């Protein structure tokens, strides 16, 4: 799987959504992406890409799209 | 008045929420008077609560005017709410204004983005001592409620305030929901002190949360173990929070390593870390560990609060006299609630507990008399600080699917065992929907048959 597929899989599994929903997904836009879901998704990304987020990035990670930009800081390129 | 709020400095802000709605002690007393003059008599009200000024004001006014509120989450499933209304027949509802269109009741009054609705229902008789009702479980919508007396609420507010050493200059973050006993008593204890409550709907993972508490110069933070895990993950120890002076932990067992980390952090930075223990049935706080003992008694819940008493009993219910011992914790004190209610007529009942509470928690007592929670006797889990009654989950599944299940788990996950493979996903979805739990914290497994002993009782 490439990085985008891995990234998508984390979202789909963390929030139980389908791939069509991903593009517009933002924090708190669906019940599953609440505070608890957020930390679970962050943990899953850290595990998938073997990285450790800076706390500021955890707070700034407010949408599916922003998340991709944040990950580039950790050399995860799409 | 409730918590002697009319004796506090009138111009001081009692509460401000993260939408910017605030109220002073003077204003809240005026509001309470107006609220009660509209309702006029002792009756039952449901408050669809959230951590906002309107929600808090309605609660304070009700307690001040001897109107008995049941606090529910404003996100409660509407089917469950309808069921609770049918069982308890509240004469009034106090709900966020944005939900107006969801109710067919007459609008009486509006303030702080909340509305007062009159249902036209006829309330049941309310016992003279009954002050407040809280759900036993915030999630399953069970009609089983905990009945509090006026003394319970007043004394626990004062005990929490005294044990934590609260002062009028304190500004406390309130992240735990109001319908959750610990969340409510964080608010009560600061109000009785004449301090300020910062009502948060945002959570630790919101950028706005941190901005708000910095702007408000928050001094105190109370949370459940999950909150402390998130704080740790956000590298809380490296944040610059010069105003913060007090961290209070309760509502479950914090992992030992985290307990030590937070105790050390507090020691290093001159802040205080208090570990506490409580239950809804004990009006929240029953025991706490003094902050100066956090490093020498890590993992401990300390000793009973002032005016309370803790003891251990063995399997036969006999009190254990040896100092070092393990057994079920029994608590005695004026904050032990009156009992449960399961129907409208139960609201007329008086004190059934007589100040004694069998906690259902197994604890160890060390040679110095400090208590450590070691396990649990009763069938409930604590997930994200929420109490999940496993028998209620089984009951829910039985009602919805007409089938037996076996619910177990630990404080990280609930495990539901069923025998019908075809319902696996549907039950998972149903339980998530009804409880609002995160989907990875519920597992559904299929087994051959539900194990039972010779008497037909389930074996867990």
């Amino acid at each position: 799987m490439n990085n985008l597929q891995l990234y998508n899989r984390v979202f789909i599994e963390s929030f139980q959504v389908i791939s069509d929903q991903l593009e517009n997904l933002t924090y708190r836009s669906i019940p599953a992406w609440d505070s608890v879901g957020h930390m679970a998704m962050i943990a899953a990304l850290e595990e998938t890409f073997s990285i450790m987020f800076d706390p500021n990035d955890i707070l700034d990670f407010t949408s599916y799209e922003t998340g991709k930009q944040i990950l580039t800081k950790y050399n995860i390129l799409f | 008045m409730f918590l002697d709020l009319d004796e506090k400095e009138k111009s001081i802000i009692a509460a401000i929420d993260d939408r910017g709605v605030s109220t002073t002690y003077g204003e809240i007393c005026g509001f309470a008077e107006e609220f009660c003059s509209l309702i006029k008599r002792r009756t039952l009200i449901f408050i669809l609560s959230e951590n906002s000024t309107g929600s808090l004001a309605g609660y304070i006014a009700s307690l001040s005017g001897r109107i008995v509120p049941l606090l529910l989450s404003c996100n409660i499933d509407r089917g469950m709410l309808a069921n609770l209304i049918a069982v308890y027949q509240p004469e009034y509802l106090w709900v966020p204004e944005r939900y107006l269109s969801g109710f067919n009741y007459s609008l009486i009054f509006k303030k702080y983005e909340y509305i007062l609705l009159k249902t036209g229902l006829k309330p049941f008789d309310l016992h003279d001592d009954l002050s407040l009702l809280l759900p036993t479980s915030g999630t399953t919508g069970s009609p089983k409620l905990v009945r509090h007396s006026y003394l319970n609420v007043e004394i626990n507010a004062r005990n929490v305030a005294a044990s934590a050493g609260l002062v009028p200059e304190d500004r406390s973050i309130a992240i735990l929901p109001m319908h959750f006993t610990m969340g409510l008593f964080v608010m009560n204890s600061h109000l009785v002190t004449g301090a300020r409550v910062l009502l948060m709907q945002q959570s630790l993972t919101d950028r706005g949360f941190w901005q708000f508490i910095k702007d408000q110069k928050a001094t105190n933070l109370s949370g459940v173990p999950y909150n402390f895990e998130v704080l740790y993950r956000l590298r809380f120890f490296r944040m610059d929070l010069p105003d913060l002076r007090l961290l209070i932990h309760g509502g479950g067992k914090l992992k030992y390593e985290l307990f030590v980390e937070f105790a050390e952090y507090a020691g290093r930075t001159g802040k205080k870390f208090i570990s506490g223990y409580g239950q809804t049935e004990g009006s929240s706080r029953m025991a706490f560990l003094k902050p100066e003992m956090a490093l020498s008694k890590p993992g401990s819940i300390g000793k009973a609060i002032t005016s309370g008493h803790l003891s251990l009993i063995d399997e036969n219910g006999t009190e254990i006299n040896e100092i070092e011992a393990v057994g079920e914790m029994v608590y005695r004190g004026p904050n032990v609630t009156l009992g449960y209610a399961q129907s409208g007529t139960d609201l007329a009942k008086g004190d059934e507990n007589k100040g004694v509470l069998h906690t259902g928690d197994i604890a160890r007592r060390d040679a110095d008399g400090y208590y450590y929670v070691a396990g649990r006797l009763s069938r409930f889990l604590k997930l994200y600080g929420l109490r999940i009654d496993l028998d209620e989950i089984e009951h829910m599944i039985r009602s919805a699917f007409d089938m037996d299940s076996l619910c177990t788990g630990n404080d990280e996950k609930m495990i539901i065992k069923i025998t019908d493979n075809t319902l696996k996903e549907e039950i998972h979805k149903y339980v998530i929907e009804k409880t609002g739990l995160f989907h990875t914290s519920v597992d559904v497994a299929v087994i051959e048959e539900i194990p039972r002993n010779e008497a037909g009782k389930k074996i867990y």
Side-chain angles (χ1 to χ4, degrees):
Chain A
M1 268 197 267
N2 65 30
N3 284 344
L4 184 64
Q5 286 167 325
L6 288 168
Y7 183 68
N8 288 351
R9 194 183 64 183
V10 168
F11 273 77
I12 289 167
E13 286 179 3
S14 297
F15 304 134
Q16 309 238 292
V17 290
I18 52 171
S19 43
D20 291 353
Q21 287 173 275
L22 292 178
E23 236 171 86
N24 298 315
L25 216 53
T26 58
Y27 180 43
R28 295 195 190 282
S29 65
I30 51 166
W33 194 351
D34 60 0
S35 178
V36 171
H38 188 71
M39 291 312 286
M41 179 268 293
I42 290 290
L45 285 174
E46 290 185 334
E47 197 182 324
T48 302
F49 294 114
S50 303
I51 55 168
M52 176 101 176
F53 282 112
D54 177 86
N56 277 312
D57 290 330
I58 299 178
L59 298 178
D60 288 335
F61 202 122
T62 51
S63 73
Y64 169 82
E65 287 300 332
T66 352
K68 284 194 220 164
Q69 289 159 29
I70 288 172
L71 278 171
T72 59
K73 289 204 236 171
Y74 298 84
N75 290 322
I76 309 297
L77 306 172
F78 294 94
Chain B
M1 191 182 171
F2 177 50
L3 304 176
D4 297 331
L5 296 185
D6 52 347
E7 291 166 26
K8 314 296 176 214
E9 180 56 51
K10 290 198 172 10
S11 60
I12 289 194
I13 292 181
I16 178 166
D17 64 31
D18 55 7
R19 288 198 299 257
V21 183
S22 69
T23 184
T24 62
Y25 280 97
E27 281 163 7
I28 214 153
C29 294
F31 168 81
E33 219 168 275
E34 192 179 4
F35 189 91
C36 298
S37 72
L38 290 165
I39 296 185
K40 291 189 197 79
R41 58 174 180 146
R42 183 160 165 82
T43 185
L44 182 67
I45 184 169
F46 279 11
I47 297 180
L48 295 197
S49 71
E50 59 182 11
N51 286 7
S52 70
T53 299
S55 180
L56 183 70
Y59 157 75
I60 290 171
S62 299
L63 269 283
S64 297
R66 291 185 51 84
I67 299 157
V68 179
L70 164 61
L71 302 185
L72 296 165
S73 163
C74 70
N75 298 319
I76 184 173
D77 177 274
R78 290 303 184 255
M80 290 174 177
L81 175 62
N83 181 43
L84 284 165
I85 291 176
V87 172
Y88 289 104
Q89 308 274 310
E91 192 177 357
Y92 293 93
L93 262 60
W94 179 244
V95 304
E97 196 177 350
R98 61 182 184 277
Y99 294 146
L100 174 63
S101 61
F103 295 96
N104 249 336
Y105 302 127
S106 43
L107 175 63
I108 304 284
F109 168 67
K110 160 164 113 169
K111 181 86 192 223
Y112 302 124
E113 301 177 0
Y114 256 66
I115 46 173
L116 182 65
L117 302 173
K118 188 166 187 176
T119 62
L121 297 168
K122 210 177 159 316
F124 288 90
D125 284 342
L126 304 169
H127 191 277
D128 263 356
D129 294 338
L130 182 67
S131 67
L132 163 74
L133 298 161
L134 285 181
T136 48
S137 148
T139 52
T140 51
S142 149
K144 189 170 171 188
L145 311 176
V146 175
R147 295 181 289 118
H148 295 68
S149 70
Y150 287 97
L151 177 71
N152 290 156
V153 180
E154 291 276 344
I155 206 150
N156 210 265
R158 287 179 165 79
N159 276 334
V160 174
S163 65
L166 303 184
V167 293
E169 293 72 33
D170 279 332
R171 293 172 298 275
S172 178
I173 304 164
I175 38 173
L176 302 171
M178 228 181 121
H179 65 274
F180 180 41
T181 183
M182 187 174 160
L184 187 63
F185 280 86
V186 167
M187 299 175 197
N188 286 346
S189 57
H190 285 86
L191 292 171
V192 79
T193 309
R196 181 182 303 181
V197 183
L198 312 176
L199 297 160
M200 307 300 297
Q201 297 206 58
Q202 301 187 76
S203 48
L204 300 172
T205 48
D206 290 283
R207 167 80 60 203
F209 173 94
W210 295 100
Q211 194 56 50
F212 186 76
I213 70 159
K214 269 186 188 157
D215 293 347
Q216 289 293 325
K217 301 191 188 310
T219 57
N220 307 349
L221 173 62
S222 304
V224 297
Y226 179 70
N227 301 134
F228 281 82
E229 281 169 32
V230 173
L231 285 177
Y232 183 71
R233 259 317 264 104
L234 291 173
R235 293 191 223 164
F236 174 73
F237 300 149
R238 291 196 342 212
M239 289 184 188
D240 179 34
L241 298 164
D243 298 299
L244 194 76
R245 69 171 193 95
L246 183 61
L247 288 165
I248 304 179
H249 158 260
K253 199 177 174 195
L254 191 61
K255 282 188 193 118
Y256 182 82
E257 298 76 24
L258 268 191
F259 188 111
V260 174
E261 290 264 10
F262 275 94
E264 283 175 354
Y265 161 80
R268 202 163 61 229
T269 55
K271 303 184 195 300
K272 286 180 176 169
F273 173 68
I274 296 178
S275 158
Y277 171 82
Q279 286 183 0
T280 312
E281 286 83 343
S283 320
S284 185
R285 187 60 48 81
M286 297 188 266
F288 80 103
L289 180 67
K290 288 185 175 157
E292 58 271 25
M293 299 304 290
L295 281 167
S296 48
K297 297 287 180 189
S300 173
I301 58 163
K303 297 180 177 184
I305 52 166
T306 321
S307 73
H309 176 76
L310 273 177
S311 59
L312 296 174
I313 54 168
D314 63 21
E315 298 97 52
N316 304 318
T318 315
E319 188 164 334
I320 306 171
N321 292 317
E322 293 84 39
I323 297 281
E324 278 192 87
V326 175
E328 185 191 356
M329 254 193 316
V330 174
Y331 177 82
R332 287 179 172 78
N335 51 314
V336 173
T337 51
L338 302 173
Y340 297 112
Q342 312 225 45
S343 68
T345 51
D346 285 352
L347 302 183
K349 285 184 178 170
D351 185 3
E352 294 176 314
N353 289 333
K354 310 280 182 223
V356 183
L357 177 63
H358 290 251
T359 64
D361 280 320
I362 301 291
R364 176 170 71 81
R365 184 168 55 206
D366 74 10
D368 299 318
Y370 285 82
Y371 286 81
Y372 300 76
V373 175
R376 203 165 293 141
L377 271 182
S378 39
R379 298 237 317 122
F380 66 84
L381 309 179
K382 282 201 169 172
L383 294 169
Y384 306 109
L386 290 172
R387 183 162 80 169
I388 312 282
D389 186 326
L390 293 167
D391 293 328
E392 266 173 31
I393 302 285
E394 288 183 5
H395 176 74
M396 240 170 59
I397 293 173
R398 193 174 310 116
S399 311
F401 297 93
D402 193 25
M403 60 175 278
D404 237 344
S405 60
L406 191 83
C407 295
T408 60
N410 50 46
D411 284 357
E412 273 158 24
K413 211 170 240 206
M414 166 162 55
I415 298 156
I416 304 168
K417 292 176 183 162
I418 55 166
T419 50
D420 185 345
N421 191 27
T422 61
L423 286 173
K424 195 175 166 193
E425 269 157 35
E426 210 177 320
I427 286 182
H428 186 260
K429 198 168 153 245
Y430 176 79
V431 173
I432 298 296
E433 233 176 68
K434 291 292 174 188
T435 59
L437 285 170
F438 191 62
H439 67 92
T440 55
S441 45
V442 179
D443 261 358
V444 181
V446 178
I447 51 173
E448 282 280 304
E449 68 178 321
I450 307 283
R452 289 176 186 281
N453 68 13
E454 285 159 1
K457 277 188 113 179
K458 287 179 191 170
I459 303 167
Y460 291 98

